[in-house]
Amino acid sequence: MVVLRIYLARHGETDENRQGIIQGQIETELNATGKEQSRRLALALKDVKFVHGFVSNIGRAVETATAIMKVHPTLKWAVHPGLRERYYGELQGKKRTSPENPPSVEPIEKFVERILQWWDEDLFSSDTVQQLFENDRDEIKNVLIIGHGAYLANLIKALGSQRGFDVGTAGKGRAYNTGITIIEVDDRHASRGKLLQYSDIKHLDGLEEAVVMVNVDDIDKKAGRTQG
């Protein structure tokens, strides 16, 4: 039986993360800390044999993936707009002054719907993933996804609440910059799965004080928590 192990990591830190500025889908760059976080993320993943990589088409995610390409130079990547962060409309590029969202912000329900659509249609229905399950041998296949904090946190939460995955309380936690999350799926239709690890940052040993603990891209009054 083939087991698909999905590694998910958030992009490295940006100045906007540090300053509490909402990014959403605007283009921002990694700062010096973010580049070091990405370098360490790459080293942490160096010995994992990945069969494919997926990355958001927003620059900070691509820049993080580029660091990983240095240790996985032959890994094939798909740059996918379906992994884009939540759209924050008129709030993008600004500091939040209220947990209330104006109408221009992508509703949380639509955001989660978009996340699960990517998971179902662009990931698990893709030839790339389906072909991995055609082997009869018992083996683990590893896939890497580089994305955004609110996206990854809401993906885990939705897999638990809407798909019955065993995720514990992880959906209530923060997805830290370059934190590594691992999901294991043993069904080609992704009808069951479990969370092995959530937003682990052991690779940032010595940089913990530099980790931004609150992500303003995931503050939502209805959700009642903070994350981007």
Side-chain angles (χ1 to χ4, degrees), residues 92-226:
Q92 294 183 161
K94 302 177 182 177
K95 290 189 176 183
R96 182 182 281 279
T97 58
S98 168
E100 296 280 359
N101 287 328
S104 60
V105 174
E106 183 177 15
I108 188 66
E109 295 82 5
K110 292 294 184 181
F111 179 41
V112 172
E113 180 181 332
R114 174 164 66 84
I115 291 171
L116 290 176
Q117 181 178 3
W118 183 85
W119 175 266
D120 292 336
E121 299 179 10
D122 296 302
L123 182 61
F124 271 90
S125 293
S126 69
D127 291 340
T128 299
V129 170
Q130 286 299 306
Q131 288 172 3
L132 300 178
F133 285 98
E134 292 177 0
N135 194 331
D136 293 330
R137 291 180 298 179
D138 290 340
E139 59 181 333
I140 295 174
K141 297 289 189 178
N142 302 301
V143 170
L144 177 60
I145 298 171
I146 305 296
H148 305 272
Y151 192 108
L152 298 179
N154 280 281
L155 169 61
I156 300 303
K157 182 180 179 181
L159 290 177
S161 63
Q162 299 188 37
R163 299 299 166 84
F165 278 39
D166 180 8
V167 302
T169 60
K172 298 180 181 179
R174 301 183 178 96
Y176 300 111
N177 289 112
T178 71
I180 302 171
T181 295
I182 307 174
I183 303 171
E184 195 169 84
V185 179
D186 61 6
D187 170 49
R188 70 189 307 152
H189 303 295
S191 60
R192 59 182 180 270
K194 62 181 178 180
L195 184 71
L196 302 182
Q197 175 178 296
Y198 185 72
S199 199
D200 185 87
I201 53 173
K202 288 194 296 289
H203 57 285
L204 300 183
D205 183 37
L207 287 178
E208 291 91 342
E209 293 183 2
V211 175
V212 176
M213 303 304 291
V214 175
N215 187 334
V216 294
D217 281 58
D218 196 33
I219 295 178
D220 189 280
K221 184 176 182 181
K222 185 175 181 179
R225 72 166 194 279
T226 62

